[in-house]
Amino acid sequence: MSDQIKSIVEKLNKEPFKKNYNLITFDSLEPMQLLQLLSDVLGEIDSKHVVDIREEMPEQTAKRMLSLLGILKYKPPESSTDLSTFRQGLVIGSKPVIHPVLHWLLQRTNELKKRAYLARFLIKLEVPAEFLQDDTVADTNKQYEDLMEAFKSLHKECEQLKTSGFSTAEIRRDISAMEEEKDQLIKRVERLKKRVETVQNHQRMLEIARQLRVEKEREESLAQQKQEQKNQLFHAEQRMQRVQLQLKDMQHAVVDSKPESLMKRLEEEIKFNSYLCSEKLPRELESKKQSLYFLQKVAAEPAMGQSDLNELETKINEVNAQINQLIEKRMMKYEPIDSKFSMYRQQASIISRKKEAKAEELQAAKEEMSNLERQMSQKANQAREVDGTEVLKGDEFKRYVNKLRSKNTFYKKKRLEMAEITAEYGILQRTEELLKQRHEIIQQQLQAIEDKKGISGYSYTQEELERVSAAKSEMDEMKGRTLDNMSEMVKKLNALVADKKSNLAPIIKELRQLRQNCQELTQECDEKKVQYDSCAAGLESNRATLEQEVKGLREECIQEESCYHYTNCMKRNLEVQLQRAKDEMKTYVSPDPQDRRKAIREQYTRMILEQENLGKKLREKQKTVRESHGPNMKQVKMWQDFEQLMECKRECFLKLQNQTSVGRVIQEGGEDRLIL
């Protein structure tokens, strides 16, 4: 766990997060801060998730994070047993849940960015089948699927280009190198032009050189076309030879075969195919149909338990026992009569089984042969694509084998020669070693003799002097040759320089004049450019002022339009009110009483009178209630007292009735005692 937290802190302190955490500060983060940190990491992977979690509900946060983690194919660790606990921990910001998620995201950020980018375009929208019945929806869905496939292919091509080694930095370096080469070539061309300008008829010579270059390029293209045509001719000849060999093989096969053998082969094929069609395939089809019927029957039945299966097994065993008993009875009953027929039946069944087995073997062999032929054709096509030649057949293969045998014998002969040479080389090497040893011994003896004579190192110095003199003579010869070559080269270069100077003199004069013209034109161009810049600056300032004026006028126009619309609306409202007032005056002044009743004034006066009458009635009712309130309250009090009095009488009556019943019981008991 500590290693996990260390790696998380290291990743968060790097680009692009730069959180400056340590183990203590990271471990002391609150749940909301952990959730915000997880949201920031998810936002780095997918920009849609750059959200402040304080501005959204916890359910929305959990749903958003879980959807992105599902797209990124995050699997919770094995320690989290239930998905609901994982979701709950994600909602509350639990450290055991958030830390593994952060560790997993930060370890593979680039890969997850790519996956989130692809998920934006490759997560298919499932359209219900009933909506696809509409033609427009179906066409749109098909276009959507086609665009998705096109995006897949383009993304694959882009990835292949990225991984093919063509980096942008290398391409930029190549472009910069090519630009430098281009500048160098332009400079060289300018220098050559300056040298050539002094030569007489240099334009004609340049034209002739250009024509020569064109003709050389044409000659190269023609040579390339000739080579391509030769290659095509060679391939065509090889193809013709192969076709001729195939034709010869076919002719030999036709010559060797007879009509009787062909007819016999065809009859065998017809018999085999008729057996397959009439016996084998119908029997297999019938068995498949029967098994399908039983399977459908089993599928249609309700689900069985273990007890049902046990009952079926017992029934099957009972039925099998009954079948065996019936077979034994039948065999005991018909054994003497059908003994011969049973033998023939057994033989026929054995033959039929053998026939079926052979037919299956033949069919399997044919399928295997067709597969092998298909593989052989594929391998032949692959070989043809690799080296442009086909697989050898028949006589070609025999000739190839004979050629290989001859090469093998030649190889063995050369191998023997190489063995002899290696043996001789070993002998020579051994003789060389012996001679070196003898040379060392002789050198030691010579050195000892020189030491005795007092002239030690004489032989070595003599050899060195001879070697140095030989090397000096060789160097003198080389120096003499190089000096001669250099003198000749200097003479040639001086002659060439003189010729070029004489040729370039008139061109240099013309170039000086052209340079003067160029300077004049550049001065004039600079003056015109200054004028243009000043004019453009003035026009730009005028344009800016005009734009500001137009903007102000447009704002004034908008304000005036709003004022106009407001006044127009107010005018319409006043017109409507005025029209209503005129109508009211007409109805009020009208001599017809019916029209007067329709007037608003009359309606309001009627309503006022009705309300006044209602107020009078209510006041009168209030007055009567006030007057009768005192007597009514007394009467209510009297009725309450009367009710209490009656309740008291009822209780007294009930008590008296209970006492009388008890006395009667006591009296009856006393009488009974007296009687006894």
Side-chain angles (χ1 to χ4, degrees), residues 124 182 244:
K124 190 175 180 181
K182 181 182 175 183
Q244 286 177 355

Side-chain angles (χ1 to χ4, degrees), residues 414-427:
K414 294 296 181 184
R415 191 174 179 183
L416 289 171
E417 291 179 0
M418 283 179 66
E420 292 174 357
I421 291 167
T422 51
E424 188 176 357
Y425 172 72
I427 293 166

Side-chain angles (χ1 to χ4, degrees), residues 180-217:
E180 289 177 358
E181 290 179 0
K182 181 182 175 183
D183 295 334
Q184 291 176 2
L185 289 171
I186 290 169
K187 291 178 182 178
R188 287 181 65 185
V189 169
E190 289 178 354
R191 286 199 298 270
L192 291 172
K193 281 183 179 179
K194 290 176 183 178
R195 292 179 184 176
V196 171
E197 284 176 355
T198 57
V199 180
Q200 295 179 355
N201 299 325
H202 66 280
Q203 292 291 339
R204 187 168 174 277
M205 292 174 72
L206 288 172
E207 187 66 29
I208 292 167
R210 193 177 297 110
Q211 291 177 2
L212 178 62
R213 188 183 68 253
V214 171
E215 292 298 328
K216 282 185 177 179
E217 290 176 355

Side-chain angles (χ1 to χ4, degrees), residues 30-32 34-36 38 58 61-62 65-66 69 74 76 80 82-101:
E30 295 181 356
M32 287 296 292
L34 270 177
L35 282 174
Q36 184 62 52
L38 179 59
T61 305
M65 291 181 179
L66 285 170
L69 289 173
Y74 172 73
S80 58
D82 193 3
L83 189 61
S84 61
T85 57
F86 175 76
R87 290 178 180 173
Q88 188 176 2
L90 190 65
V91 171
I92 63 176
S94 177
K95 290 181 181 180
V97 175
I98 300 290
H99 287 177
V101 177

Side-chain angles (χ1 to χ4, degrees), residues 22-29:
N22 54 28
L23 294 176
I24 297 170
T25 55
F26 178 74
D27 192 51
S28 62
L29 289 176

